[in-house]
Amino acid sequence: KAKHVLVLADACFAGSFYLKRGENDAPTKRNNKKSRWVMASGRLETVADKMVGQDNSPFAYYLINYLKNAKKDVSISDLKDYLEIEVPKVPSHQPVRGVSPLNKNESIYKDTKAVVVGISDYKHINDLNFADDDAIAFANYLVNHPDIDSSKVELILDSLATSIKIKTSIFTTLSEAKPNEQVIIYFAG
């Protein structure tokens, strides 16, 4: 039901959100439906957990800095353009199949709900150092933004970020979204 859905994925192999095995680029054919965007820190490869001299990944660092320093409402197109230039490991940003990109003047702030997930502590694979910090930094940015209702931002970290909890939170947020609302799903892990 949400007017727009933006997935920000700062994780190794995050391009798998929209790329099929063997594809180098997401399909370019789009139609005129609601927008659904995925901005990923990379394609189908590992990405840096920490940027030299910073406490965040390159993706999170440039994302949060851009949003904090924006002098006006931020459009998805402007954010995409900025990240493509600034993030050292070229990130990938594509509209999800079958939907159109946002208009240039679509703001990412108005009527926003968010699910923010950060996992640094894993049971069966090597732990990460800063994914949970990236999620906290992004959630803090959202809850401190004057145009975003902080009660509509859910933060899920580490051991609480079970598969069931993440899926339930995303499903609930998307199913309860009103047609004029935007949903942001941020995943770092």
Side-chain angles (χ1 to χ4, degrees), residues 94-111:
Q94 297 290 334
V96 177
R97 289 181 182 85
V99 292
S100 65
L102 291 171
N103 297 325
K104 275 280 194 193
N105 58 0
E106 292 287 355
S107 167
I108 69 166
Y109 302 120
K110 297 177 181 141
D111 302 312

Side-chain angles (χ1 to χ4, degrees), residues 75-156:
S75 74
I76 300 301
S77 298
D78 291 344
L79 178 60
K80 173 194 81 69
D81 292 345
Y82 175 80
L83 290 174
E84 283 179 340
I85 292 167
E86 295 298 327
V87 176
K89 183 160 187 108
V90 178
S92 194
H93 316 286
Q94 297 290 334
V96 177
R97 289 181 182 85
V99 292
S100 65
L102 291 171
N103 297 325
K104 275 280 194 193
N105 58 0
E106 292 287 355
S107 167
I108 69 166
Y109 302 120
K110 297 177 181 141
D111 302 312
T112 297
K113 291 178 139 185
V115 176
V116 180
V117 180
I119 306 172
S120 285
D121 301 325
Y122 287 92
K123 288 183 181 179
H124 303 291
I125 61 173
N126 293 336
D127 287 347
L128 299 172
N129 294 316
F130 298 98
D132 51 356
D133 294 336
D134 293 344
I136 291 167
F138 186 69
N140 283 339
Y141 168 76
L142 291 175
V143 300
N144 290 311
H145 193 282
D147 294 335
I148 296 176
D149 179 351
S150 62
S151 69
K152 294 182 178 183
V153 177
E154 181 178 7
L155 176 62
I156 309 168

Side-chain angles (χ1 to χ4, degrees), residues 4-5 7 13-14 16 23 30 34 61 73 89 106 108 119 124 145 157:
H4 303 297
V5 176
V7 176
F13 305 97
S16 64
E23 274 186 333
R30 310 290 178 221
K34 298 174 183 179
Y61 174 81
D73 283 349
K89 183 160 187 108
E106 292 287 355
I108 69 166
I119 306 172
H124 303 291
H145 193 282
L157 297 172

Side-chain angles (χ1 to χ4, degrees), residues 47-58 129-130:
V47 295
D49 182 34
K50 182 179 191 280
M51 192 165 116
V52 175
Q54 301 298 326
D55 289 334
N56 299 103
S57 71
N129 294 316
F130 298 98

